[in-house]
Amino acid sequence: MKKLVSALLIMAMGVTMLTGCGKSNKLTVEEGKLIMGTNAEFPPYEYHEGDQIVGIDAEIAAAIAEEMGLELVIEDMAFDSIIGAVTAGKVDMGLAGMTVTEDRLKNVNFSDTYAHASQVVIVKEGSVIDSVDALTGKTIGVQLGTTGDIYAEDIEGATLERYNKGFEAVQSLLTDKIDAVIIDEQPAKTFVSQNEGLVILDEKFTEEDYAAAISKNNEALLAEVNKALAKLKDSGKLDEIVAKYIKED
Ligand code: ARG
C-alpha cells in the first residue's frame, strides 16, 4: 500500500512538473508564431499595400520572428486597442510606432527602443499658426489614443478632434474643419507629400522613442525580442529597413 501511494505521488509530481514546464516554455500566444498587434494607418511604419501590411514595423517584426524561428502573424486593429490586446494575451507584441510613455509602462513592458520620433504640427500653407504657442485656443486634429492626443490636451483652450485614423485628421484640415493636426513626424511627412497645400512647422511638439509593447507576464519574450533587436542593430539590418522607407531630405 505504502509503495502504491508513493508511486502515485511520484507520478502526480511528474505530471505537475510536466504541465508546469509546458506553461513556462510557452513563449508566445500560439506556439511557433509571433503575433504582432498593430494599426496599419501609419505610413511608413505600417500601412496597407494591396492586401498586405507593409512598412518599417512590419519588416522589423518579420526580422525578429526570423531570428526567433517563428512565423510572423500581423493583426490590424484600432491603435487604442493594442495595449489591451497585449495585456489580454491576444497578441505577443504591439509594434505600431508606439511611443514609450510612463503611463503605458504601468500596463506593459517595452522592449529596447528602435527609433527616435517626434510629434509635429501640420497646418495649411499660409496658416496663422507658425509655432507651437500659436496652437492656443485652436481646433486640433489627432489620432485617438496616441501621444499626439494625450499631450495636446495640455494646450490651453484648444479643442481636440479625435479621429480613428491619422489620415482622416489630415482630410479635415484640408477641408478647413480644423486648424492643425498633431501627429508623428514620419506619417506627417508622408501625408504632406501626398496632398497639396500643407506644411509641417519647424518647431517640434515633442521628442519620443518607439518600442515594442510586451505583456508584463512574459519577461522571457521581452528578453528574446531585445536579443533579436540588438542583432538587427549590430548587423545594420535595422538601418537597412529604415532606409528603404525613409529617404533623408
Ligand atoms: N507614436 C504615437 C503613439 O505612440 C502614435 C502611434 C500611432 N501608431 C499607429 N500605428 N497608428 O501614441
Side-chain angles (χ1 to χ4, degrees), residues 123-143:
V123 293
K124 272 192 141 177
E125 253 165 33
S127 166
V128 292
I129 301 170
D130 55 1
S131 67
V132 168
D133 275 348
L135 289 168
T136 308
K138 300 289 187 213
T139 303
I140 304 166
V142 294
Q143 185 184 12

Side-chain angles (χ1 to χ4, degrees), residues 90-110:
K90 294 202 173 96
V91 301
D92 294 303
M93 65 172 184
L95 199 66
M98 192 182 286
T99 304
V100 179
T101 70
E102 288 302 319
D103 249 11
R104 290 173 181 165
L105 276 166
K106 289 178 192 153
N107 297 305
V108 288
N109 281 335
F110 275 106

Side-chain angles (χ1 to χ4, degrees), residues 175-226:
T175 52
D176 294 316
K177 292 196 182 85
I178 56 177
D179 303 310
V181 171
I182 296 183
I183 195 166
D184 299 54
E185 181 171 31
Q186 292 305 328
K189 283 187 175 168
T190 310
F191 296 141
V192 165
S193 74
Q194 291 168 348
N195 295 282
E196 296 271 301
L198 299 178
V199 289
I200 298 172
L201 297 189
D202 288 336
E203 186 186 352
K204 293 185 163 110
F205 185 54
T206 61
E207 298 290 335
E208 312 181 350
D209 289 293
Y210 294 163
I214 294 173
S215 166
K216 283 196 188 269
N217 299 326
N218 201 344
E219 296 276 346
L221 180 62
L222 181 69
E224 288 295 318
V225 167
N226 278 336

Side-chain angles (χ1 to χ4, degrees), residues 38-42 46 79 96-99 104 119 143 145-148 184 208 210:
T38 197
N39 170 250
E41 305 294 341
F42 200 69
E46 46 266 333
F79 181 74
M98 192 182 286
T99 304
R104 290 173 181 165
Q119 299 295 310
Q143 185 184 12
T146 61
T147 45
D184 299 54
E208 312 181 350
Y210 294 163

